[in-house]
Amino acid sequence: MKRAEIEQLLQSYKQRVEEQLPAYISNLQAPSIMKEAMLYSLQAGGKRIRPLLVLATLHAFEKDVEIGLPVACALEMLHTYSLIHDDLPSMDNDDLRRGKPTNHKVFGEAIAILAGDALLTHSFRVIAEPPSISDEVKVRLIAELAKAAGPEGMVAGQVADMQGEGKQLTLEELEYIHRNKTGKLLQYSVLAGAILANANEQQLKKLAEFALHLGLAFQIRDDILDIEGDERKIGKKVGSDVENKKVTYPSLLTMAGAKEKLRHHIEQAKTLLQQTKLNAHLLEYICELVETRDH
Amino acid sequence: MKRAEIEQLLQSYKQRVEEQLPAYISNLQAPSIMKEAMLYSLQAGGKRIRPLLVLATLHAFEKDVEIGLPVACALEMLHTYSLIHDDLPSMDNDDLRRGKPTNHKVFGEAIAILAGDALLTHSFRVIAEPPSISDEVKVRLIAELAKAAGPEGMVAGQVADMQGEGKQLTLEELEYIHRNKTGKLLQYSVLAGAILANANEQQLKKLAEFALHLGLAFQIRDDILDIEGDERKIGKKVGSDVENKKVTYPSLLTMAGAKEKLRHHIEQAKTLLQQTKLNAHLLEYICELVETRDH
């Protein structure tokens, strides 16, 4: 596939997700302020990397990506809830997210907490309802999502991250945080696409390993951008990790070491992808995006 | 069935739930502080009315109540998350719950928010995993739970409750709040038992109506107890609704009017229960508990 074709396809997936996302909220019988708060953060932009991973994985299996849309949107809802809660004053206390005031800055803390709770809860309903997915697949998707996002996954990572603040962490501890805080949900995105495509266990295993490397690469790039990035592109202040005395890949490994580690994980990810023998042009392209992204 | 037998059976169900609940948390691969925070609130006591409704409904269908245990525990986890978040400083700002310091008073706000998030997420996994439940039933249980607890249910009620603070509400507005904030999850408890028992649509409809009246009765009794209750039994300060200028059933209908409305809903609930022709001694007894409870 040509580069331009790949870019166009990913762009069209992103549009499809962004079209569909608000529809899951607007029609709810719910207090308007809550829908507004949910939509505010859902529509604040972002790379939509989790939905894109679901759909790109389906594409690699040569399946109709439309069947992935509910899970893709559910993932973006769940990811958005985690951002809203992470930004709260008692957590990271961030005023800006993607260049816009954070949810609690606009709607107040109480509504922000509840909008997050609502997005998290609703994401499970969005997967459980569509008649286009079999019950067996739904149950697997839901169990894996709850595992990736819950106390053995994303929430565990956030707790460990907070507890590590101001402490000197080892590389192992840093990896535990990222594997859980961002890694498990990125990994789930790929697995969800594969589950929807009825992948066999061998394929699932390879793709899980692939996604693990991709997730770590994603986080290392994040740490690098917090030092070398352009504030206007990232939409938040650069240098906040140093300011908050956060341990990062560059602080543990030097900038050169972090960049080398980033390349290593991307190489590993690409190698694993080739071993799947899938038609994985889009996933390969996403690897490159993760390696070189500027926001 | 004799009264003593009913009481003993319900007591044994409660014990079974309280035995099982910590097992769902203790074995998790998760930061110990998070498990501690989750267990702290899960084990803070309480009436366990939602789990009891699941199991009592299964009993009414003459099914083995053991198959209801995962859903019963999931419901208690989800209910507990809602209490932890409701108590937060930016919400109701409560220091005591069931006579013990609230979660954020012990663990801090950030861990309390995350423990709530973890309990909510984990409750879906607890329903999705047990091999004893068919995929079809699991999907229905999960979809209905997300509906009852999310932006068209419990969270909507909490938002409406907060927005109504300090305002003069109509009886209709008050009922909207309670139908959603506490009613939908109580209703779900009964429906979950019925779904697990393979109830037919006619039975589900009757039981849904039954549970709606039971839920409203539950809330009216709550309002009455906030005026007439015994602080030592309730485990929190009496008179907080008046202090917080909250609209309640007694404030809208007078105390006598509220008591009459309580009786009305209990009568309706019992009548609907009889119409189901089920062996519903335990559910009937729970109606009486709700009408006369002192905590």
Side-chain angles (χ1 to χ4, degrees):
Chain A
M1 274 176 94
K2 283 191 194 138
R3 213 171 165 77
E5 208 182 326
I6 292 172
E7 281 171 8
Q8 208 180 6
L9 209 48
L10 285 173
Q11 189 54 37
S12 74
Y13 291 174
K14 195 175 174 214
Q15 267 174 19
R16 193 74 188 85
V17 168
E18 291 185 336
E19 235 168 60
Q20 192 58 42
L21 262 179
Y24 280 115
I25 309 297
S26 317
N27 301 326
L28 292 173
Q29 298 283 324
S32 53
I33 187 76
M34 182 171 58
K35 295 204 275 184
E36 230 180 279
M38 292 165 86
L39 285 167
Y40 175 80
S41 292
L42 272 181
Q43 295 182 309
K47 298 171 286 292
R48 314 293 190 192
I49 183 148
R50 291 157 195 80
L52 287 180
L53 283 171
V54 179
L55 304 184
T57 304
L58 276 164
H59 183 269
F61 282 91
E62 293 168 12
K63 300 277 176 184
D64 180 4
V65 299
E66 282 290 310
I67 63 161
L69 219 50
V71 183
C73 290
L75 259 166
E76 194 65 13
M77 285 178 206
L78 199 143
H79 170 60
T80 302
Y81 121 75
S82 78
L83 299 182
I84 296 174
H85 282 193
D86 280 10
D87 287 338
L88 287 167
S90 59
M91 306 269 239
D92 293 351
N93 194 21
D94 278 319
D95 295 350
L96 280 181
R97 163 77 65 183
R98 294 165 182 160
K100 294 173 71 176
T102 44
N103 200 290
H104 65 271
K105 280 280 156 190
V106 180
F107 297 96
E109 258 185 87
I111 294 290
I113 293 171
L114 291 166
D117 293 344
L119 284 166
L120 169 56
T121 312
H122 198 52
S123 67
F124 287 100
R125 185 169 164 201
V126 165
I127 301 179
E129 284 191 343
S132 55
I133 310 175
S134 77
D135 287 338
E136 191 191 341
V137 167
K138 279 177 183 171
V139 167
R140 193 159 178 195
L141 288 171
I142 288 164
E144 293 291 339
L145 179 59
K147 199 171 161 187
E152 293 196 314
M154 188 177 73
V155 182
Q158 175 68 3
V159 169
D161 192 15
M162 281 181 27
Q163 289 198 291
E165 258 171 41
K167 285 186 198 144
Q168 188 53 46
L169 303 176
T170 63
L171 186 60
E172 217 182 339
E173 289 166 329
L174 186 67
E175 275 206 9
Y176 173 86
I177 293 172
H178 295 311
R179 234 173 242 266
N180 285 287
K181 190 175 167 175
T182 50
K184 294 235 170 120
L185 211 58
L186 287 167
Q187 194 176 40
Y188 173 81
S189 310
V190 172
L191 288 182
I195 290 169
L196 282 163
N198 299 312
N200 62 39
E201 289 307 314
Q202 171 77 7
Q203 290 169 321
L204 283 171
K205 200 166 156 268
K206 282 279 177 226
L207 285 170
E209 273 186 79
F210 152 76
L212 186 67
H213 285 288
L214 186 71
L216 287 171
F218 186 87
Q219 188 58 48
I220 298 171
R221 184 73 198 156
D222 221 49
D223 285 357
I224 293 172
L225 282 173
D226 192 70
I227 297 172
E228 291 189 347
D230 180 335
E231 286 189 7
R232 285 164 305 177
K233 285 183 180 159
I234 306 178
K236 63 179 178 185
K237 244 178 71 187
V238 156
S240 67
D241 289 341
V242 174
E243 205 175 289
N244 299 330
K245 295 191 178 116
K246 273 203 143 177
V247 174
T248 63
Y249 286 92
S251 79
L252 278 182
L253 303 173
T254 76
M255 180 56 88
K259 285 184 176 171
E260 160 130 16
K261 204 165 177 60
L262 169 61
R263 256 191 311 275
H264 163 78
H265 285 299
I266 292 290
E267 283 308 310
Q268 288 288 309
K270 284 184 173 174
T271 305
L272 285 155
L273 209 52
Q274 274 156 14
Q275 292 172 3
T276 63
K277 307 245 165 61
L278 294 168
N279 187 12
H281 300 293
L282 301 192
L283 290 174
E284 252 168 63
Y285 183 85
I286 291 175
C287 287
E288 284 163 34
L289 272 192
V290 164
E291 189 176 4
T292 59
R293 71 196 173 93
D294 58 9
H295 66 285
Chain B
M1 274 176 95
K2 282 192 194 136
R3 211 169 167 77
E5 208 183 326
I6 293 172
E7 280 170 9
Q8 209 180 5
L9 210 49
L10 286 173
Q11 190 54 36
S12 74
Y13 292 174
K14 195 175 174 214
Q15 267 173 19
R16 194 74 187 86
V17 168
E18 292 185 337
E19 237 169 59
Q20 193 58 42
L21 261 179
Y24 281 115
I25 310 298
S26 317
N27 301 325
L28 292 173
Q29 296 284 327
S32 53
I33 187 75
M34 183 172 56
K35 295 205 275 184
E36 231 180 278
M38 292 165 86
L39 285 167
Y40 175 80
S41 292
L42 272 180
Q43 296 181 309
K47 298 170 288 292
R48 314 294 189 190
I49 183 148
R50 291 157 195 81
L52 288 181
L53 283 171
V54 178
L55 305 184
T57 304
L58 277 164
H59 183 269
F61 281 92
E62 294 167 12
K63 300 276 176 185
D64 181 3
V65 300
E66 283 289 311
I67 62 162
L69 219 50
V71 183
C73 290
L75 260 165
E76 195 65 13
M77 284 177 207
L78 199 143
H79 170 59
T80 302
Y81 119 75
S82 77
L83 299 182
I84 297 174
H85 282 194
D86 279 10
D87 287 338
L88 288 167
S90 59
M91 307 269 239
D92 292 351
N93 195 20
D94 278 320
D95 295 350
L96 281 181
R97 162 78 65 184
R98 296 166 182 158
K100 293 174 73 177
T102 44
N103 200 289
H104 64 271
K105 280 281 158 189
V106 180
F107 298 95
E109 258 184 87
I111 294 290
I113 293 171
L114 292 166
D117 293 344
L119 284 166
L120 169 56
T121 311
H122 198 52
S123 67
F124 287 100
R125 186 170 163 199
V126 166
I127 301 179
E129 284 191 342
S132 56
I133 311 175
S134 76
D135 288 337
E136 190 190 341
V137 167
K138 279 177 182 170
V139 168
R140 192 157 177 196
L141 288 171
I142 289 164
E144 292 291 339
L145 180 58
K147 200 170 160 186
E152 294 195 314
M154 189 177 72
V155 183
Q158 175 67 3
V159 169
D161 191 16
M162 283 182 24
Q163 289 196 292
E165 256 171 43
K167 284 185 198 145
Q168 188 52 45
L169 304 176
T170 64
L171 187 60
E172 216 183 341
E173 289 166 330
L174 186 67
E175 275 207 9
Y176 173 86
I177 292 172
H178 295 311
R179 234 173 242 265
N180 285 287
K181 190 174 167 175
T182 52
K184 294 234 169 122
L185 212 57
L186 287 167
Q187 193 176 41
Y188 173 81
S189 311
V190 173
L191 288 182
I195 290 169
L196 282 163
N198 299 312
N200 62 39
E201 289 307 314
Q202 171 76 9
Q203 289 169 320
L204 283 170
K205 201 165 155 267
K206 283 278 178 226
L207 285 170
E209 273 186 80
F210 153 76
L212 187 67
H213 286 287
L214 186 71
L216 287 170
F218 186 88
Q219 189 57 48
I220 297 170
R221 184 74 197 153
D222 220 51
D223 286 356
I224 292 171
L225 282 173
D226 192 72
I227 296 171
E228 291 189 345
D230 180 334
E231 286 189 7
R232 284 163 306 176
K233 286 183 180 157
I234 306 179
K236 62 178 178 184
K237 245 178 69 187
V238 156
S240 66
D241 290 342
V242 173
E243 206 176 288
N244 299 331
K245 293 191 179 120
K246 274 204 144 176
V247 174
T248 63
Y249 287 93
S251 80
L252 277 181
L253 304 172
T254 76
M255 181 56 88
K259 286 184 176 173
E260 162 132 12
K261 204 165 177 59
L262 169 61
R263 258 191 309 275
H264 162 78
H265 284 300
I266 293 290
E267 283 308 310
Q268 288 289 309
K270 285 184 172 174
T271 305
L272 285 155
L273 209 50
Q274 275 158 12
Q275 291 172 3
T276 63
K277 307 244 166 57
L278 294 168
N279 187 13
H281 300 292
L282 302 192
L283 290 173
E284 252 167 64
Y285 183 85
I286 292 175
C287 287
E288 283 162 35
L289 272 192
V290 165
E291 189 176 4
T292 59
R293 69 194 173 97
D294 59 9
H295 66 285

